[in-house]
Amino acid sequence: MALRTLITRKTLRTAPLGCRGLQTYTLPDLPYDYGDLQPAISAEIMQLHHQKHHQTYVTNFNNALEQLDSAMNKGDASTVVKLQSAIKFNGGGHVNHSIFWKNLAPVREGGGEPPKGSLGSAINNHFGSLEALIQKMNAEGAALQGSGWVWLGVDKEFKHLVVETTANQDPLVTKGASLVPLLGIDVWEHAYYLQYKNVRPDYLKNLWKVMNWKFAGEVYDKESS
């Protein structure tokens, strides 16, 4: 456990500020050690990605929410509007990365094992095969210009699977209010550059070796029932 962060899971706390309660967020602990996803993802990348990048989103999200609380108490409408982009970017970064860590698992704990049950059947029905889905997500992830995410989601309203991409740190819900993420793949350079340089397709190919389909299947069963 030497490489695991010392920041532990914490119940979200509500800290009173102004006349309302202000909810603050903390960096979630990983369910595995930083080196457990090697060789697909190096320990160095995992540590930097988690402790530095995700922590920065959490810190900036909390700061923006505190400023929003103050501005709303003062009736400062222009500042409230100005803060929306920071809240979306940093809040999205926190939401997306919290999902991403759960989407991965060491091989010894089932990482890379193909989906089973209702999700496996839905993938075959919607995309023809798991291999076809992987090819589609890899192609869309490789083609995404700049930074962003490629998602496998379920549409709760229409009960079908979707593949979508989002720019920057936009969550999947920005593409539709009824969309729930099952898998999210981070294609920002900080997720792979130290190991894969500018060859994003190699990163995408190897990531499936540690994909946690069990978690995705649990979310699918809950959201599609």
Side-chain angles (χ1 to χ4, degrees):
M1 300 294 178
L3 285 174
R4 184 176 291 183
T5 178
L6 296 177
I7 302 174
T8 58
R9 286 193 191 88
K10 298 179 182 177
T11 303
L12 296 181
R13 297 177 179 177
T14 300
L17 186 66
C19 62
R20 298 174 294 110
L22 177 67
Q23 181 167 276
T24 58
Y25 296 87
T26 56
L27 181 70
D29 195 13
L30 298 184
Y32 40 78
D33 287 339
Y34 292 128
D36 285 350
L37 303 181
Q38 296 183 121
I41 309 177
S42 72
E44 182 182 18
I45 285 179
M46 288 299 297
Q47 185 171 16
L48 288 171
H49 198 171
H50 181 243
Q51 287 190 347
K52 302 298 183 182
H53 292 281
H54 190 173
Q55 179 61 68
T56 297
Y57 294 125
V58 171
T59 300
N60 290 340
F61 187 34
N62 286 330
N63 289 342
L65 290 174
E66 184 175 352
Q67 294 174 49
L68 177 66
D69 184 84
S70 176
M72 291 182 69
N73 285 331
K74 295 175 181 177
D76 185 353
S78 62
T79 298
V80 169
V81 172
K82 184 173 67 175
L83 286 167
Q84 298 309 305
S85 60
I87 291 172
K88 180 182 179 183
F89 180 78
N90 292 291
H94 175 51
V95 169
N96 293 347
H97 283 86
S98 296
I99 296 168
F100 184 59
W101 308 133
K102 294 177 181 179
N103 285 158
L104 306 174
V107 172
R108 68 173 183 273
E109 297 178 11
E113 291 183 3
K116 302 174 182 177
S118 56
L119 177 57
S121 298
I123 288 172
N124 288 334
N125 291 336
H126 283 85
F127 302 102
S129 68
L130 175 61
E131 291 72 22
L133 169 63
I134 290 174
Q135 289 179 7
K136 178 177 178 62
M137 292 187 69
N138 284 355
E140 299 213 9
L144 185 63
Q145 295 185 358
S147 301
W149 294 74
V150 55
W151 301 94
L152 172 66
V154 59
D155 189 318
K156 293 193 299 182
E157 181 178 354
F158 296 103
K159 309 295 184 184
H160 66 79
L161 298 175
V162 297
V163 171
E164 291 280 359
T165 59
T166 56
N168 301 314
Q169 292 297 347
D170 290 358
L172 179 59
V173 71
T174 60
K175 288 297 186 77
S178 63
L179 298 182
V180 176
L182 304 178
L183 294 177
I185 298 178
D186 189 347
V187 294
W188 281 65
E189 284 192 345
H190 65 235
Y192 62 88
Y193 193 84
L194 286 175
Q195 183 174 357
Y196 293 97
K197 306 307 179 194
N198 63 336
V199 190
R200 187 191 288 177
D202 285 354
Y203 157 72
L204 292 167
K205 177 182 177 181
N206 286 325
L207 199 64
W208 297 100
K209 298 175 182 177
V210 291
M211 197 64 74
N212 187 4
W213 284 106
K214 181 180 178 181
F215 172 77
E218 292 171 352
V219 177
Y220 178 78
D221 289 342
K222 176 183 177 182
E223 299 295 344
S224 62
S225 60

